[in-house]
Amino acid sequence: MANIYDNAYDLEKAIRNSDEFQGLKEAYEAVMADEAAKKMFDNFRETQINLQQKQMQGEEITEEEVQQAQQVVQLVQQHEVISKLMEKEQQLNTVINDVSRIITKPLEELYGTPEEQ
Amino acid sequence: MANIYDNAYDLEKAIRNSDEFQGLKEAYEAVMADEAAKKMFDNFRETQINLQQKQMQGEEITEEEVQQAQQVVQLVQQHEVISKLMEKEQQLNTVINDVSRIITKPLEELYGTPEEQ
Ligand SMILES: [Ca+2]
Ligand SMILES: [Ca+2]
């Protein structure tokens, strides 16, 4: 029992010390240190969250909203400091998803994947 | 980098060997070995998943469906072997949620919780 938590804290430390997390941290701090980039990034995040919430609540998303969201995405993709941050987020996400798949394997084996049932 | 994966596999092993997972496994196998219990449990799971999907898709859930779901819940709660399984699932869920909170702490510190922003 204690063993699980010990291992979880070791893993947390390994994530924290990883190149992926350190790279993300630097990229995030670079965006936060640049007022215009920070504003653009906040706007991007807000747009994404709003659209996700609408989708989850089954609300209709207008064509105008889709176009606005696409414009915001294009803006951040063209912004070097922000696109660097998004790339670093993607890299750490991949690692976190791998980790999540590894540690939920016992459960997946027990209950079986949908395909195996 | 390798370090993260090493630690993740150690954590997976600790989860697999834990009393919580072993208890869940025994409770699950007890349900699967009892044909009537297995049928009732499958029915319960199916009902839950259907309602969740409707909710996520913003579909209306009728009063009849709510009542049916409540009946299914009552049935499984009264069934000793199934309620044991649900209790064990709850216990392992608590551990997995704790683990998830521990390993995402670096990210939470970086981005801040919604309350802190
Ligand atoms: Ca560095
Ligand atoms: Ca045992």
Side-chain angles (χ1 to χ4, degrees):
Chain A
M1 179 60 181
N3 205 17
I4 291 182
Y5 288 94
D6 287 348
N7 279 288
Y9 284 112
D10 285 347
L11 177 55
E12 188 254 13
K13 217 177 291 168
I15 291 170
R16 193 183 291 275
N17 294 330
S18 68
D19 287 345
E20 283 79 3
F21 181 73
Q22 290 302 320
L24 171 63
K25 196 165 176 246
E26 282 167 27
Y28 181 77
E29 283 162 359
V31 169
M32 290 302 118
D34 177 336
E35 206 172 329
K38 183 186 181 310
K39 216 166 169 176
M40 202 186 278
F41 182 68
D42 286 345
N43 183 29
F44 165 68
R45 271 291 140 84
E46 214 179 302
T47 307
Q48 302 276 75
I49 290 169
N50 281 343
L51 285 185
Q52 273 172 17
Q53 279 177 342
K54 283 200 171 183
Q55 250 174 344
M56 285 196 311
Q57 288 160 2
E59 278 179 55
E60 216 189 322
I61 294 164
T62 67
E63 212 179 308
E64 205 193 332
E65 286 175 312
V66 174
Q67 280 178 2
Q68 267 180 348
Q70 282 171 345
Q71 273 175 1
V72 176
V73 170
Q74 275 176 357
L75 267 177
V76 298
Q77 278 174 343
Q78 284 159 12
H79 194 295
E80 208 183 323
V81 182
I82 303 179
S83 63
K84 178 89 175 178
L85 171 56
M86 287 164 71
E87 184 198 313
K88 294 294 175 185
E89 284 181 340
Q90 197 51 57
Q91 285 171 6
L92 190 66
N93 270 343
T94 302
V95 175
I96 298 282
N97 286 339
D98 285 349
V99 164
S100 174
R101 223 174 299 123
I102 290 167
I103 68 177
T104 56
K105 209 156 185 251
L107 276 169
E108 194 199 297
E109 283 174 16
L110 184 59
Y111 284 95
T113 54
E115 290 78 20
E116 291 167 356
Q117 270 175 340
Chain B
M1 180 59 179
N3 205 18
I4 291 181
Y5 289 95
D6 287 348
N7 278 289
Y9 284 112
D10 285 347
L11 177 55
E12 188 256 10
K13 216 177 291 168
I15 291 170
R16 193 184 290 276
N17 294 330
S18 68
D19 288 345
E20 282 80 3
F21 181 73
Q22 290 303 319
L24 171 64
K25 196 164 176 248
E26 282 167 27
Y28 182 78
E29 283 161 0
V31 170
M32 290 302 118
D34 177 336
E35 206 173 328
K38 182 186 181 310
K39 215 166 169 178
M40 202 186 279
F41 182 68
D42 286 346
N43 183 30
F44 165 69
R45 271 291 138 83
E46 213 180 299
T47 307
Q48 302 276 75
I49 290 170
N50 281 343
L51 284 185
Q52 273 173 16
Q53 279 176 342
K54 283 200 171 180
Q55 249 175 345
M56 285 196 311
Q57 287 160 4
E59 277 179 56
E60 215 189 323
I61 294 164
T62 66
E63 211 178 310
E64 205 192 333
E65 286 175 312
V66 173
Q67 280 178 1
Q68 267 179 349
Q70 282 170 345
Q71 273 174 2
V72 176
V73 170
Q74 275 176 356
L75 268 177
V76 298
Q77 278 175 343
Q78 284 159 11
H79 195 295
E80 208 182 324
V81 182
I82 303 180
S83 63
K84 179 89 175 179
L85 171 56
M86 287 164 70
E87 184 199 314
K88 294 294 176 185
E89 285 181 340
Q90 197 51 56
Q91 285 171 5
L92 190 67
N93 270 343
T94 302
V95 175
I96 299 282
N97 286 340
D98 284 350
V99 164
S100 174
R101 222 174 299 124
I102 291 167
I103 68 177
T104 56
K105 209 156 185 250
L107 275 170
E108 194 198 296
E109 283 174 15
L110 185 59
Y111 284 95
T113 53
E115 289 78 19
E116 290 168 356
Q117 271 174 339

